[in-house]
Amino acid sequence: MPFLTPNVTDERDALATFAAQQVRQVAAALHGLDPAQLRAVPSASALSLGALARHVLAVCEDGLLEGLAPPEGSTGSVPSAEDRYAAGALLPEAVRPGDTAESLAEALYALAERIETVLRTADPEARVPVPDAPWFPEDLESWPLRWVALHLVEECARHAGHADIIRESLDGRTAYELNALADGARRPPRG
């Protein structure tokens, strides 16, 4: 995964590429973490990298994308109210007992692929229902997909930045280095 977002060809490609790239940046921040680091809260906030990953998964899967294109083979089951609240509120308990850096990164990479598929094939003018959540307007029934995609870029970019800061606080590793390592480089590029 390159550090920079690849060139794009049209609006759909741009929306898909930029949204997916930010999700991949959160996944890269998890590279090489042990269980304690995944759950560590190294700053004044309550953010851990594990809770942040769970939040991005919840916002994208159970939030804005769910109304547009439920995952193939979806059974309609939804996470418990406690899981949704903990992930949505970025609480430490959002990290599940079986979560590992690898399992969360794998889920994020799969999410990025799904985002690319959905956004590259959907009509930017398609209407997406506004999720039932107290922070969304009550007087609005739907948004255009274009708005949803741009909101995903905004939301995930904000959290990719959080992930960078948390990761640097844990062990000093930066996004540039982590992208290289996540791509299989033996060591980060010089400079």
Side-chain angles (χ1 to χ4, degrees), residues 1 21 39 42 88-89 121 146 180:
M1 163 186 54
Q21 177 71 1
R39 291 162 176 78
T121 58
R146 180 181 292 106

Side-chain angles (χ1 to χ4, degrees), residues 97-165:
D99 283 342
T100 64
E102 295 79 13
S103 69
L104 289 171
E106 183 178 314
L108 288 163
Y109 287 127
L111 172 63
E113 288 180 22
R114 180 167 172 251
I115 287 170
E116 286 177 321
T117 299
V118 168
L119 295 181
R120 282 198 174 102
T121 58
D123 176 3
E125 292 298 322
R127 301 302 294 187
V128 179
V130 174
D132 182 23
W135 49 86
F136 291 132
E138 291 181 17
D139 62 343
L140 189 62
E141 291 184 22
S142 65
W143 288 298
L145 172 70
R146 180 181 292 106
W147 186 92
V148 172
L150 290 170
H151 182 68
L152 282 176
V153 173
E154 172 194 32
E155 178 80 10
C156 295
R158 175 183 302 116
H159 295 314
H162 291 141
D164 288 346
I165 291 167

Side-chain angles (χ1 to χ4, degrees), residues 1 3 28 31 175-189:
M1 163 186 54
F3 181 72
H31 183 78
Y176 189 62
E177 173 185 7
L178 291 166
N179 274 278
L181 293 171
D183 273 346
R186 288 186 175 173
R187 58 184 177 279

Side-chain angles (χ1 to χ4, degrees), residues 29-141:
L30 303 176
H31 183 78
L33 293 177
D34 65 35
Q37 290 172 315
L38 183 68
R39 291 162 176 78
V41 180
S43 69
S45 80
L47 294 176
S48 72
L49 285 169
L52 195 58
R54 278 273 163 220
H55 176 73
V56 169
L57 289 164
V59 165
C60 295
E61 290 177 341
D62 304 329
L64 298 172
L65 277 181
E66 183 67 25
L68 176 67
E72 199 171 301
S74 176
T75 61
S77 65
V78 294
S80 70
E82 294 83 13
D83 280 351
R84 288 187 68 144
Y85 174 77
L90 289 164
L91 298 176
E93 55 267 28
V95 185
R96 298 173 185 163
D99 283 342
T100 64
E102 295 79 13
S103 69
L104 289 171
E106 183 178 314
L108 288 163
Y109 287 127
L111 172 63
E113 288 180 22
R114 180 167 172 251
I115 287 170
E116 286 177 321
T117 299
V118 168
L119 295 181
R120 282 198 174 102
T121 58
D123 176 3
E125 292 298 322
R127 301 302 294 187
V128 179
V130 174
D132 182 23
W135 49 86
F136 291 132
E138 291 181 17
D139 62 343
L140 189 62
E141 291 184 22

